[in-house]
Structures are given as C-alpha cells and as structure tokens.
Amino acid sequence: MKFQAVKGTRDFYPEDMAIRNWITEAWRRVSLRNGFEEYDGPILELLDLYRAKSGEGIVSELFHLTDRGDRELAIRPEMTPTLARMINARAGALPRPIKWFSMPRLCRAERPQRGRLREFFQWNIDIVGLDDAVTDAECIFVALDFFREIGLTPADMVMKVNCRALLAALLSARGFAPPRHAAIFAVLDKRDKLPPEAFAEAVEKVCASAGERETLISISQARGTEGLEIVARAAAGDARAESSLARLRSVLDLLHRMEVGEYCSFDMGVVRGLAYYTGTVFEGFGRGGFSRAICGGGRYDQLLESLGGPPMSGVGFGTSDVVIQELLEELGRIPSQARTTRRTEVFLIDAAPEMFDAVLVLAARLRRRGVGAEFSYRRQSLGKQLKQASAAGALRVVIVGEEYKARGHLVVKDMASGRQQEIPADAFCENPCM
Ligand code: HAM
C-alpha cells in the first residue's frame, strides 16, 4: 500500500524547505530588528482555551482529541490564546510593554484551498500591556516592514485598516444592540469569502428588516479617504464613535509618518473573524488574483483578563508561509536565493585516487572553519567529479593533484568566472574566498 501526505498538509522536500526557511528567516530578521523577543508554546492546548474567546469560527475549524484522562485537547489552530495564557502566568514579572514574536506550526481542519491549508506556519507579532495608537501602528508597520523586505510594493498589496469599536458604536447608534454585534461581525467578515448571494443570505439572517439590511451594507461599504469622511459625519455627536474615529485617524497618521502610509487604506468592511478583537483591526490583501487575506490582526482588550489574567490590552497579527509563497509565486517574485538548497562553497576533487586522503584532510579543515565543503564519495574521473561539483552548486572547485604532491599547492577554480589559479593549501584553508 502506498501512502500520501494527508490532504491539506505538505511534505517539505529540500527545494520546499529552502523557500520555507527563506520566509521564516525573514520573519525572524524583521522581528528582531523591530525589537521583538521570540517565544514558543506547546502544540497541544486544552480545548476550552479556544472555546473561551476565539469564537465559533475557529472552534469549528480545529482538530481535537481526548487523552487517556478524558481531557479534551486541541492542536493549536492559532497562537494568541497560548500567548495570553503564557503572559498571564507571569504577568507580574514581565516588563511592559511585552513585545513577543513566534513562528508556530498550526493546524486548522478547514477545507484545503488556495492559500488555506490544514497545516501551516504562522508568524505572530504581539505587543501586550499598552493600549495606545502607537502600538497599533507599530504592529502594522512590522507586517509592512516584512512585506517590503520580500519585495512587495503598494502596487502589489494593500493593508486595510478599521476599528471594531467604531463599527460597534455606529451600529449601536442605528439600533443594532451590542449583544447582536458578534453575529454581525462574523457575517461581515465573510464579505470577501462568500459568493455574493450567500453573503446576502447571511446578512439577511442577522437583520430584522430591509431597512436594517441597507444600513448594515451601507456602513460596511465605507472605505478610503472619502469613506472616512462619510463615517466622520455619521459619528458626529456620538462620543464613543468620535473617540474611536480619532484613534483610527491617529493610527493611519502614524503609519504615514512611518512611511508605510501608501500601503494602508481605511475599510469599514474589515472586521476580522476572531471574536476577541475589540479595537483596531487590519487585514492585508494582494492586489492581483489571489483574494484571501495575506495577514490579519488587531487589538484585543479583554482576552487576557477573560483567561484569568490581569486587565491587559494587546495588539498583534499573524501571517502564514502558505499565503506568502502563493502571492510571491503569482507575482513571479521568489528570488533564486530562496531556492538554494545547499551551501557548498568548495568542492574538493582528487586528480588521482591516492590524493583522496588529502581531500579528506582539507575538507575537514575547511568545515572546521565553517566553510561549506564537499567531495565525491566515489573515486572516479576528474570529469565526473567536476559534474558533481557543478550539480552541488559549488562556488569553487579545488583540485588536489600533482601540484599538491610536489609543492603543497591546490588548483582553485572559480565556477562563475571559470578563472583558475594555483594557491598554497595552507593559504587557501586560511582564506578560501580568495
Ligand atoms: P487569522 O486571521 O485567523 O488570525 O490568521 C492570520 C493569518 O494566518 C491569515 O491572514 C492567513 O495569512 C494565515 N492563515 C490562517 N489560516 C490559514 C490556513 N488555514 N492556511 C494558511 N494560512 C492561514 C489569527 O490567527 C490571529 N491569532 C492573529 C493574531 C495574532 N491576532 C493577534 N495576534
């Protein structure tokens, strides 16, 4: 019987692993240069951790199991509840604001489709312990710092920004009582995920009348500078709506001052699917054919407290290797270095089998110095060894032959230029870049 990888999961052959590493190395580089510390948690959590606050959407999408002690466990579908649990356990001792990042492997039992798999790696950036527009802007900046790092410009992607508290205030003012908001947000989040008829049907279900339906659709359609002005007129005189709008404006203004404003745009239709978001919310989208969100996040005011911790507000986002690779492939922008599977700087070749001992010694010396060195495991012709060196992508080939026997010299060939020179072996091992 032949086995295949489970649907929605991936095998990472060396060429796939190279791209995954290229992405995760950029995540780590960008996190560190923005002042974030790395953490991780377990792949299994108690199912109740997600039942408590993530919302129906994610709970219906998770893989769960019962252990031998009858405990209901879940494979983590997201990182934020784990982050909240870990911070809560040490809340008193952690200097604030807490700026943490992580790159967990997550599983969601959703239907595999373009940009959405059942197992993926998700980069998480979170700032906890300070509720201020500058931390909202900082999180969005970090996401954009990464997208810019991998070559995406405002022509390739957009970061849509909104504020759930603003939407909630506008809805309340129009007769949508707060207990109805969670269901309304869940429907609005599906705007771009459902076909138009299915979306219209879902809207119908959360509205009591045609008037309500129209109000809801028209509020959620506000976008861009013009939309912001429409919202400003709608918010006038309502203290909660006005203060949420001021916060949103201030986040957008900070992003402009941080020189990423061109990527950002206000969009009242962005509400996010997870239940715990309370304030600023944002989602990134490619401008091409790839329609799923490429990143998403927001502010959560009550999550930590609802999981037994102190009242601490946080803001953060997640993005996955799957969506990034899909988008870059669509744009034809995966650089060749992202596909490099091995780092063979030097390939040592014996011109005759009796030189093989010297090849072993030289390879060991180079490797000790941190140089990527390889040699053929079979004694074969110079031509065949050269072929192997070129298949390994070696930068330089070193021939150990007569020159070595006679004078301790190596023949070093630069594979890119074809230039060949004779170099004393000791000098080459000291400085193999010559
Ligand atoms: P999320 O919107 O569920 O948020 O996921 C964030 C991002 O993870 C998505 O925009 C997408 O790039 C990626 N993603 C989600 N599901 C999949 C999937 N099945 N396959 C591939 N990629 C996927 C959260 O998870 C929040 N916990 C993020 C967060 C961190 N909020 C605050 N801090």
Side-chain angles (χ1 to χ4, degrees), residues 58 61 77-81 83 106-108 110-111 113 115-126 193 272-274 276-277 283-284 292-300 315-324:
I58 209 136
E61 271 174 4
E78 60 154 336
M79 198 60 181
T80 320
L83 168 90
L106 305 181
C107 286
R108 292 187 189 179
E110 56 181 310
R111 187 172 59 82
Q113 53 194 296
R116 291 290 181 274
L117 296 178
R118 294 163 102 188
E119 185 195 38
F120 56 100
F121 292 86
Q122 191 193 56
W123 179 37
N124 279 254
I125 280 282
D126 285 89
K193 296 172 194 149
R272 306 274 299 126
L274 291 157
Y276 47 68
Y277 295 117
E283 240 167 8
R292 299 302 301 261
I294 55 170
C295 75
R299 174 162 295 280
Y300 41 92
V315 60
F317 73 86
T319 180
S320 77
D321 62 326
V322 179
V323 285
I324 290 160

Side-chain angles (χ1 to χ4, degrees), residues 265-278:
S265 154
F266 160 68
D267 192 325
M268 191 54 112
V270 165
V271 287
R272 306 274 299 126
L274 291 157
Y276 47 68
Y277 295 117
T278 45

